[in-house]
Amino acid sequence: GLAIIDIATKKITNLFGLGFKDFNATGNEIDICDLDESVHQSNWHIYGMYQPDAIEFFQTPTGKYLITANEGDGRDYEGFSEEVRISDVKLDSINFPNNEAFKDCENIGRLKITTTLGDTDGDGDYDELYTFGARSFSIWDATNGKLMMDSKNRLETNLIENSNLYDDSRSDDKGIEPESVTVGKVGGFTVGFVGLERG
């Protein structure tokens, strides 16, 4: 989430979560198997956590905005780890029918998810799946946290279609990993530059 702080009064004036990206929505198809020696972008009943690795503020005549590079990151420390592969968890049989086949690599078994979310009814299986990052960049209204634009799967698709730089071995993790972002002026236009760690 993000907090808006009034430095003069030393008070937090707003606090909002960035929410989750629905990888089942049109335009959000992703490649998530790293062992199939091919690229298959598909929609899945999975949510991505908006976890910016970099955030940049910019302002236009229409308002104040943030642009984020949504790489994502799991907590994996001595004594605590939230990272687990879908193939190693129990899935709810109603939300994920035929779930054993669903956990194969050619489906979603290799994808890493968090153990801290998803068991919505507390019965020990996963009703929803939340993975790290959103594999995109986004633009947010800096005053209220409203999502104004998300690049969906365009970064991944561009690497797959227009170059040989797509790293399929990272499909099961965080994909192309949007890592850095900055905003500049080019010919009078405000331009966002997004750097990818994997590609």
Side-chain angles (χ1 to χ4, degrees):
L2 291 173
I4 297 178
I5 301 173
D6 186 320
I7 296 176
T9 62
K10 302 178 183 178
K11 291 184 178 180
I12 296 175
T13 60
N14 203 350
L15 184 67
F16 44 81
L18 298 180
F20 307 100
K21 181 172 182 174
D22 184 0
F23 286 118
N24 205 31
T26 300
N28 288 347
E29 299 85 356
I30 54 172
D31 176 38
I32 55 179
C33 180
D34 61 326
L35 300 179
D36 54 1
E37 298 182 354
S38 60
V39 177
H40 297 288
Q41 289 178 300
S42 302
N43 289 116
W44 299 102
H45 182 53
I46 298 168
Y47 297 97
M49 296 180 281
Y50 282 106
Q51 298 173 304
D53 200 318
I55 302 174
E56 183 86 357
F57 173 85
F58 68 99
Q59 188 168 349
T60 75
T62 62
K64 300 176 180 179
Y65 303 97
L66 301 172
I67 181 171
T68 60
N70 306 314
E71 179 185 16
D73 200 10
R75 294 168 291 180
D76 185 20
Y77 312 123
E78 184 177 345
F80 174 78
S81 177
E82 66 174 323
E83 295 182 356
V84 65
R85 295 191 189 276
I86 294 175
S87 59
D88 295 327
V89 302
K90 183 179 180 182
L91 300 178
D92 180 78
S93 59
I94 296 176
N95 291 347
F96 301 98
N98 195 21
N99 57 43
E100 289 307 311
F102 199 57
K103 293 196 291 186
D104 291 342
C105 176
E106 59 265 26
N107 292 314
I108 62 169
R110 293 279 298 167
L111 185 68
K112 291 181 181 178
I113 59 170
T114 178
T115 59
T116 65
L117 297 169
D119 183 6
T120 58
D121 53 12
D123 64 352
D125 60 30
Y126 285 80
D127 308 284
E128 298 176 342
L129 303 172
Y130 293 85
T131 191
F132 306 101
R135 306 189 182 201
S136 63
F137 70 88
S138 303
I139 296 176
W140 313 80
D141 187 311
T143 60
N144 58 27
K146 180 181 178 181
L147 179 62
M148 307 299 293
M149 174 270 178
D150 184 80
S151 65
K152 298 189 175 182
N153 70 355
R154 285 169 55 193
L155 298 177
E156 180 175 281
T157 299
N158 283 346
L159 282 186
I160 293 169
E161 294 181 350
N162 300 315
S163 73
N164 61 354
L165 298 177
Y166 179 70
D167 185 358
D168 190 36
S169 70
R170 300 298 297 176
S171 304
D172 61 314
D173 204 339
K174 299 183 291 290
I176 52 169
E177 299 189 18
E179 168 82 10
S180 60
V181 64
T182 191
V183 175
K185 291 282 188 179
V186 178
F189 292 95
T190 300
V191 180
F193 299 87
V194 181
L196 309 180
E197 185 170 344
R198 308 287 178 173

